Amino acid sequence: MRVVFLGPPGAGKGTQARILRERFGLDLISTGDILRANCAERTPLGEKAERFMRCGELVPDDLMIAMIERELERKPAGFVMDGFPRTVAQAEALDALLSRLRWPLHAAILFNASRPVLIERLASRWINPRTGRTYNALTNPPRVAGIDDEDGGELVQRDDDRADTVAKRLDVYEAATKPLVEYYRKTGKLVSVDALAPVETVAERIAAAIGAAHA
Ligand code: ADP
Ligand code: AMP
């Protein structure tokens, strides 16, 4: 099963991608997580990407497409992509790569949520930077504030979840990424989900949609 997630920052893509990974044994390819790990390790890619990420801009397509090529070289049997593609050029490159591998996509899941909800979710998001696991101070708090329930690691707020950067990221989504909704609609693979519903409800709808797409 091969699925891409589309939707604005804060819509719940990372949360649902982790659920899909567990339930269906899919590889999780999260470009944001990979970039943050590269920044933390101060790799050449991290050094190049950091200034774009810090101000909420997109990392250039050539770097991102090369990253996805490397991820697909690992030959994941099935995957969920969270955070890629984010531009039409990235979507075209992904199509070309997958058609060369004869691995068609099964679905592109679009997460729908309104801007005020996204802003509130991002302002109250806490992450474990080592694993990418996400909590929310309002809707899904850890048992002990600032500590991951699973591994006891410290939770932090992302630098780019500050209000000014969030506004920029939402604008970048509208301008650069939203055109992908039409792109995938034309392929017949687009499935929209109401991302305002509770986490478990969203997970059930996604499982039903990809089950149908895979049948
Ligand atoms: P994205 O990966 O799309 O940026 P996340 O999965 O990190 O979004 O979710 C953003 C924030 O909203 C996190 O704090 C997460 O815990 C919370 N969240 C995710 N899904 C829901 C939901 N269905 N209802 C309420 N809060 C949610
Ligand atoms: P995310 O964790 O998906 O919110 O991504 C965090 C940041 O990483 C984004 O704001 C971008 O700067 C960068 N990024 C992640 N994925 C991509 C992508 N596919 N194209 C360009 N930039 C990306």
Side-chain angles (χ1 to χ4, degrees):
M1 192 187 309
R2 290 171 292 274
V3 182
V4 296
F5 279 180
L6 288 181
K13 303 179 301 298
T15 302
Q16 296 296 332
R18 287 187 156 65
I19 294 175
L20 271 194
R21 172 173 66 179
E22 264 158 47
R23 293 197 183 156
F24 295 91
L26 302 179
D27 264 42
L28 169 56
I29 304 177
S30 163
T31 47
D33 284 353
I34 298 169
L35 286 169
R36 279 184 290 279
N38 275 273
C39 292
E41 289 159 22
R42 308 234 57 85
T43 66
L45 171 61
E47 304 263 339
K48 286 187 200 133
E50 195 164 35
R51 67 191 172 92
F52 298 101
M53 297 171 74
R54 199 177 315 121
C55 61
E57 304 224 355
L58 294 183
V59 174
D61 283 337
D62 55 339
L63 295 177
M64 297 310 302
I65 291 165
M67 175 196 290
I68 285 297
E69 267 173 335
R70 284 193 297 277
E71 290 297 310
L72 292 178
E73 272 164 18
R74 294 189 294 107
K75 303 256 177 290
F79 60 73
V80 49
M81 262 183 206
D82 167 22
F84 190 96
R86 260 176 154 105
T87 63
V88 170
Q90 292 180 15
E92 287 171 349
L94 179 62
D95 276 349
L97 281 167
L98 292 179
S99 95
R100 204 185 314 148
L101 291 161
R102 297 183 206 288
W103 284 354
L105 266 190
H106 294 106
I109 311 284
L110 171 64
F111 288 64
N112 285 307
S114 59
R115 193 167 173 122
V117 171
L118 298 169
I119 290 172
E120 185 179 78
R121 282 187 183 176
L122 293 173
S124 46
R125 169 159 73 180
W126 289 78
I127 68 158
N128 180 331
R130 284 159 302 281
T131 63
R133 191 181 161 90
T134 300
Y135 292 85
N136 190 282
L138 304 176
T139 60
N140 175 31
R143 282 195 296 272
V144 179
I147 304 290
D148 189 335
D149 293 348
E150 272 196 347
D151 67 4
E154 190 194 351
L155 301 176
V156 299
Q157 290 196 282
R158 274 171 50 175
D159 281 349
D160 60 351
D161 280 346
R162 288 191 328 264
D164 53 338
T165 321
V166 163
K168 170 77 182 173
R169 285 159 63 211
L170 292 171
D171 291 345
V172 166
Y173 173 78
E174 291 291 324
T177 309
K178 214 166 179 188
L180 292 183
V181 175
E182 264 322 297
Y183 182 95
Y184 283 109
R185 203 190 302 280
K186 283 188 193 136
T187 68
K189 291 179 181 162
L190 190 78
V191 178
S192 294
V193 294
D194 171 12
L196 299 179
V199 170
E200 194 46 46
T201 310
V202 178
E204 278 165 21
R205 290 182 189 156
I206 292 174
I210 61 179
H214 196 51

